[in-house]
Amino acid sequence: LDSAQEQVLWEDSIRASHADDVLLNIPQTAAAAAAAWDLLHAWEAPLHGRDFDWSADCEAFLGWMRAVQIRLNQNGWITRSELPGVLAKQFAMGGRTARGDVTTVGFDDPPPAVARLCRELGTVSRSDPQIPSRACRVECADINAELTAAAWWARQRLEASPGLRIGVIVHGL
């Protein structure tokens, strides 16, 4: 789901719980719940209630989260927050083989879900002797310099190999 679709899913789950009887701003609450969902997935935190503090707010969030999970499962959907974990599992189970180098940028300390995905992609890449595995670190002054460097890197790669497919993923874009 894209962020707008996920927002509607959270809003529907909150409204169905009758929380709108006491909450004044469903869209802001849904955005906060989606942000919590994102953090839980990024840090691969447990998604079951026994690890939560059981305050009233926590219980409400757990109910909304269960409702969201049910709708996602019923429809075969995933959220952007779940994507790194789903991809890592696919690669770990021998999913489609990656072709080409995998380069990550912009992470001071990647959350565990992203780190696991990168490890799985690296494992897949190294299993093919035709694919070189190398990494380098490029430090940029700010986000604009980072995006410019990524664009120049992509351009150089495309000029060297015109049929190459390159994906640049910008978290939170």
Side-chain angles (χ1 to χ4, degrees):
L1 300 177
D2 66 26
S3 58
Q5 293 166 322
E6 184 178 353
Q7 175 75 17
V8 170
L9 182 62
W10 282 102
E11 287 179 19
D12 288 349
S13 297
I14 292 167
R15 281 191 186 94
S17 72
H18 301 291
D20 59 338
D21 296 342
V22 293
L23 294 175
L24 300 177
N25 194 322
I26 299 294
Q28 282 185 345
T29 304
W37 173 264
D38 186 47
L39 285 171
L40 287 169
H41 281 87
W43 292 96
E44 296 182 332
L47 298 177
H48 40 77
R50 66 179 173 268
D51 294 311
F52 288 81
D53 70 7
W54 290 105
S55 66
D57 290 340
C58 189
E59 285 189 51
F61 173 70
L62 286 171
W64 306 333
M65 187 173 66
R66 282 187 206 104
V68 165
Q69 287 174 314
I70 289 169
R71 294 261 321 265
L72 291 168
N73 292 338
Q74 286 174 338
N75 293 289
W77 299 335
I78 62 169
T79 62
R80 289 181 183 193
S81 304
E82 296 170 289
L83 191 56
V86 169
L87 289 174
K89 285 178 187 173
Q90 290 296 317
F91 281 107
M93 295 185 320
R96 189 173 172 197
T97 303
R99 294 284 174 226
D101 297 333
V102 175
T103 305
T104 59
V105 294
F107 297 107
D108 293 327
D109 185 17
V114 173
R116 187 164 56 95
L117 174 59
C118 292
R119 280 193 310 274
E120 290 300 334
L121 289 171
T123 300
V124 171
S125 294
R126 282 192 299 275
S127 69
D128 186 338
Q130 301 298 320
I131 299 173
S133 180
R134 63 183 184 275
C136 67
R137 181 180 172 99
V138 176
E139 292 188 31
C140 300
D142 56 30
I143 188 67
N144 289 332
E146 186 176 326
L147 292 172
T148 300
W152 278 105
W153 171 85
R155 180 179 180 173
Q156 290 172 338
R157 297 292 305 260
L158 285 171
E159 286 175 350
S161 302
L164 189 64
R165 294 180 67 180
I166 296 176
V168 177
I169 301 168
V170 180
H171 183 72
L173 182 65

